[in-house]
Each structure stands twice: as C-alpha cells, then as structure tokens.
Amino acid sequence: MTQTDGQAAIRGLDRDLRGQLPGHTLITDPAQRETYACDGLAAYRVRPALVVLVESAEQVAQVVRACARHGVPFVARGSGTGLSGGALPHADGVLIVTSRLRTLHEVRPEDQRAVADPGVINLAVSKAANPLGYYFAPDPSSQQICSIGGNVAENSGGAHCLKYGFTAGHVLSLDVVTPDGEQITLGTEAPDAPGYDLLGAFVGSEGTLGIATRATLRLTRLPQDVHTCLAGFGSTDDAGAATSAIIAAGIVPAAIEIMDALAIEAAEAAVSCGYPEGAGAVLVVELDGPAVEVADELERVEQICRDQGAFEFRAATDAAERAEIWKGRKSAFAAVGRISPDYIVQDGVVPRTSLPEVLREMGRISAERGVRVANVFHAGDGNLHPLVLFDAAQEGATERAEEVSGMILDLCIEHGGSITGEHGVGADKARYMPRMFGPDDLDTMQLVRCAFDPAGLANPGKIYPTPRMCGERPRIVHAADEPVLEQAEVF
C-alpha cells in the first residue's frame, strides 16, 4: 500500500465511522492525536492517523470491522504505560483507546472471581477485593495506573510473580474482538477447558491477535501474615548468592528484589529511603502465608543473609515499616531521573544461578563503554531491569547507550535467558527476536498470528522483525513519517 492509498483508506474509514459512532469518540485534531504518539517508551513516537476513544465493546467491534473493510491497521492502547513500544501507533492506522472501558462489573469472593473491563486499573481490582479478603496478584510497578487490558496484552508480572506467577495464571476467560471484528469468548470461568488453549495464546500476544474487551480474573486470598525485610551487602555477588541460598533452602518468598549501589544512590536522592549506608547492594525479601510459617521463614532468611555476608538486616514490624522498605525499590525507576537526564529501561531474563556472572559482565561492559548502568531487578526469577544512563544532549551518547542495552540482551541470550521477562517485545525488541529464535521458529509463530489475523492489521510491526507472512506491511515507523499524518488529517 502506498502512502496515497493509506490516506485514501483512512479518509474512507473516517466517513464510515462517523456514521456509526458519536462524534466525541473520534479524535482527528493533530495536536490531540500527538498526545497519543507514544506509550511508556517515549523514544519512539508516531502520531496515529485517527484516535478512537471507545466506550463499549460493541464500539471496539465496529471500529475493527471498519478497519477490516478499509484495510486499515489498528493498534489497541490501555493506559499507555508499556515500556517496549507495544502500543506505538501506526502512522496510517487507527489507535483504539480502551481507557474509558473501566467498569469493574463483579467481585465474587464466593468463587474468587472478578470481572473487569480492559480499562480498569490494576490496583483498583485489589482495592475492591481487599475488604472481602482477596486481591489480584499480578502487580507491575505501574499498577497504580496500568490497566487490565494492558496486563493481558503484555502478560504482566511484577515483584510478586516469583510466587504467584504472571497475568496468564490469573485470567480465566476473555471477551475478545478478533481482527475481523467478530466478538468471541476465549476460556471459561471453570478451569481446564477442553480444546486448544487459545486463551493462553492470546494472553501476552501484545495486541497482535485481537483486542480484549472484558476479562474474568482469578482472585487470590490475602495472606494471614506478611513480613518484609531488608539486608545490606557489600556487593551484588553477595546479594545474589543469598538469593540462591534462600530458594535452595526451600523458601519461596512472595518477592525478592535486588538494587545495586547506583540504584540505591538514585533512590536516596529521590525519596530518602534510608537504606544501609555504604551498601554495594540491598536485598528486599517479602514473605507471606500462615503466621507460624512466615515467622519461621523470617528467622531462616536472616540467618542465610548473615551467612552470605549481610552487614545489616532489618525486619519490618508493621505495614508502615513495610512501606518504608518498599519505598526505595518502588521509586527506583523514576528516581534514576535524579542522577541522569535520560535512561533506557531494559528488561531481560537469565537463570538465577547466572546472575553473579551476568552482573559482572554488565559491569565490565559499562566500564569499557563509559556508560553507567544501574541495576534493579526481580532476583528470584532472574528478571533483570538494567537502567542504562546517558545524556541525549551529548553527541553519540544515545547510540552508545543503545549499544550497551543491546549487549546486555545478548548476554541474557548467551546465558540461556530471554530478551524480555515482563515488558514484552513490542516495537523495541523485534530486531532481537532472530538472535533468540531461528527462521523456522519465527515462521511457526507467524502461522499462529496469521490464523487469527490473515490480513495483518492487528498491531503490525510488533514482535516480529520483518514482514514475512500475513501481508504485513513492510513499513518502518519513524517521526519522519509524520507528513503522511498531516495529509491524512484533511477529512
């Protein structure tokens, strides 16, 4: 499709939708569309040709059917907090924003279920369920603003996924609009539905198989007791060794997190978290479950930490002290802005036993390239979140930071890990997929995608590095493509 074809298609689509949807749901003004040009990964920006703020599942289906009729690509967006460019708009396409679909229809403690629209905020589910003794376990760092639809698309995790798993383990069924506009339900409220696990294929598909319009979620019972502790170590090696020893002892913490010295420095500058002075790394461990069990595990964790060289150990005695321990960790990403004007949030996974070696290699790369890297990560499952610091105002700094970021992903692959743990592939990491998978693997994945979306209209350009099947358009999105949008706005 040429740019002219794309402009003609979007004009036809706009006329079509104006006959079906209320005018206030359609955004064509260039300045307003510009506010949707990126998600949480602001390094990539593409202004969509049209934005639709849908207000019902039926409207989602109407927009998608219109896109299918006119051959126009579409991208779904929730709260826009994704960090891999998964909701990056298509320059010739429609951005379908689901943030107005925010009804929490049911919270049912009797069968541990909640039914939510895709725009419902993650934390809102737990707030509604807490008085009834339950919560929604997946807890991304952005849980105060990220939406259930985005969690489903990215199979989000969070600090507590070590014990409770990712979003996929907490979704029982989804109402979905397929790429041709059909409204279907995947999964059931009962476990172990017969047939192929299409629900499993959909969760984590990053919007390439359709758009979720309602989710039935599994709620988790609140634990009887929770203890959070903080240990200060001289190095990340010691903290990593303590992590492995804790899990080897048969303890499965609800969360176990490591921050290195640079991340601690940033957190102290931002929120004065009061972590142990002079620590090369801190380990945050949260234990939950029956009170007697948790008390026993706390004693064992303290002993293990001291055996592995912890020079300070603190255990919170109440909710306020728990919040104080978590304050530094939860502010870490944003806090890095205090010590660097720009940074890349990377996301990779390695086997837990490889953490010390990988962290040392990352330190070597950082020193050799002259690029600072702060580390904040989910140590229990080896999910690294290196923060690559740079100043975009300095010539070549962005390129050096991107190079280091890529080298870190190569390290993850070399050690048997993955290029993503919970942020998804999106637009940002599609080019790394061939480093992890062979052509046959990628073709097989594309066959699954084609089965759902033979026209290649659902979130094109994401996950896979090049158009190989399904008629996906060989279009690279850049800010330089904006002239197409300027023309497309003349409806």
Side-chain angles (χ1 to χ4, degrees), residues 92-139:
D92 296 331
V94 177
L95 188 70
I96 301 174
V97 181
T98 60
S99 57
R100 289 183 176 177
L101 302 178
R102 52 191 176 198
T103 301
L104 183 56
H105 296 276
E106 295 180 82
V107 176
R108 306 198 305 257
E110 62 274 16
D111 60 357
Q112 299 184 222
R113 306 286 189 263
V115 181
D117 280 351
V120 170
I121 301 302
N122 172 297
L123 191 59
V125 180
S126 289
K127 284 184 174 178
N130 283 171
L132 304 171
Y134 292 88
Y135 72 110
F136 183 55
D139 61 338

Side-chain angles (χ1 to χ4, degrees), residues 37-51:
C38 70
D39 57 12
L41 184 62
Y44 298 93
R45 298 186 65 86
V46 177
R47 191 164 58 186
L50 177 66
V51 177

Side-chain angles (χ1 to χ4, degrees), residues 81-83 121-123 139-147 151 156:
T81 57
L83 293 171
I121 301 302
N122 172 297
L123 191 59
D139 61 338
S141 297
S142 58
Q143 71 174 147
Q144 295 187 45
I145 50 174
C146 68
S147 64
N151 294 169
S156 299

Side-chain angles (χ1 to χ4, degrees), residues 239-264:
T243 300
S244 292
I246 289 169
I247 294 177
I251 300 169
V252 182
I256 183 164
E257 306 279 302
I258 290 179
M259 295 171 62
D260 71 4
L262 193 53
I264 296 169

Side-chain angles (χ1 to χ4, degrees), residues 123-425:
L123 191 59
V125 180
S126 289
K127 284 184 174 178
N130 283 171
L132 304 171
Y134 292 88
Y135 72 110
F136 183 55
D139 61 338
S141 297
S142 58
Q143 71 174 147
Q144 295 187 45
I145 50 174
C146 68
S147 64
I148 293 299
N151 294 169
V152 168
E154 302 296 328
N155 191 21
S156 299
H160 294 80
C161 66
L162 170 65
K163 185 171 186 177
Y164 295 103
F166 291 78
T167 298
H170 302 270
V171 176
L172 291 159
S173 72
L174 292 171
D175 289 352
V176 167
V177 174
T178 66
D180 62 0
E182 184 181 1
Q183 293 176 270
I184 64 172
T185 298
L186 302 177
T188 69
E189 292 196 13
D192 299 326
Y196 294 113
D197 184 11
L198 299 181
L199 176 66
F202 190 92
V203 177
S205 62
E206 304 189 28
T208 61
L209 305 184
I211 301 175
T213 56
R214 185 173 293 197
T216 300
L217 308 172
R218 186 197 310 275
L219 299 176
T220 301
R221 184 181 290 276
L222 287 167
Q224 182 183 29
D225 203 0
V226 179
H227 278 290
T228 305
C229 53
L230 174 75
F233 291 88
S235 68
T236 53
D237 272 15
D238 291 343
T243 300
S244 292
I246 289 169
I247 294 177
I251 300 169
V252 182
I256 183 164
E257 306 279 302
I258 290 179
M259 295 171 62
D260 71 4
L262 193 53
I264 296 169
E265 175 190 335
E268 292 289 355
V271 297
S272 301
C273 49
Y275 284 172
E277 190 172 345
V282 294
L283 185 66
V284 176
V285 183
E286 187 155 283
L287 305 161
D288 68 5
V292 173
E293 179 180 303
V294 171
D296 174 68
E297 289 180 342
L298 181 61
E299 288 183 10
R300 295 166 63 200
V301 166
E302 179 175 2
Q303 188 58 55
I304 290 170
C305 287
R306 295 196 184 282
D307 290 346
Q308 297 297 330
F311 63 84
E312 184 171 337
F313 187 91
R314 304 174 191 168
T317 58
D318 55 34
E321 290 187 3
R322 284 204 304 274
E324 196 66 20
I325 287 177
W326 275 112
K327 184 169 70 174
R329 167 60 185 91
K330 292 192 173 182
S331 68
F333 282 12
V336 167
R338 295 293 189 100
I339 62 171
S340 177
D342 302 286
Y343 59 93
I344 296 170
V345 180
Q346 194 49 278
D347 168 46
V349 181
V350 296
R352 187 172 54 248
T353 51
S354 298
L355 277 174
E357 184 179 355
V358 171
L359 290 170
R360 282 194 294 273
E361 278 295 298
M362 287 168 54
R364 179 187 61 77
I365 292 170
S366 170
E368 287 182 356
R369 303 288 167 162
V371 176
R372 294 188 300 166
V373 178
N375 284 292
V376 183
F377 55 96
H378 309 312
D381 53 9
N383 188 182
L384 300 166
H385 288 316
L387 303 165
V388 183
L389 315 186
F390 65 102
D391 182 352
Q394 295 181 2
E395 185 176 355
T398 302
E399 290 74 15
R400 287 194 298 274
E402 289 178 345
E403 182 187 24
V404 167
S405 183
M407 293 173 75
I408 291 172
L409 291 183
D410 286 338
L411 265 180
C412 293
I413 296 171
E414 289 168 13
H415 285 79
S418 166
I419 61 172
T420 180
E422 56 184 353
H423 294 176
V425 176

Side-chain angles (χ1 to χ4, degrees), residues 445-457 467-473:
M445 294 181 203
Q446 285 279 32
L447 286 171
V448 175
R449 182 176 186 168
C450 292
F452 282 80
D453 182 24
L457 296 178
R468 298 175 64 85
M469 298 180 182
C470 309
E472 183 173 306
R473 291 162 178 75

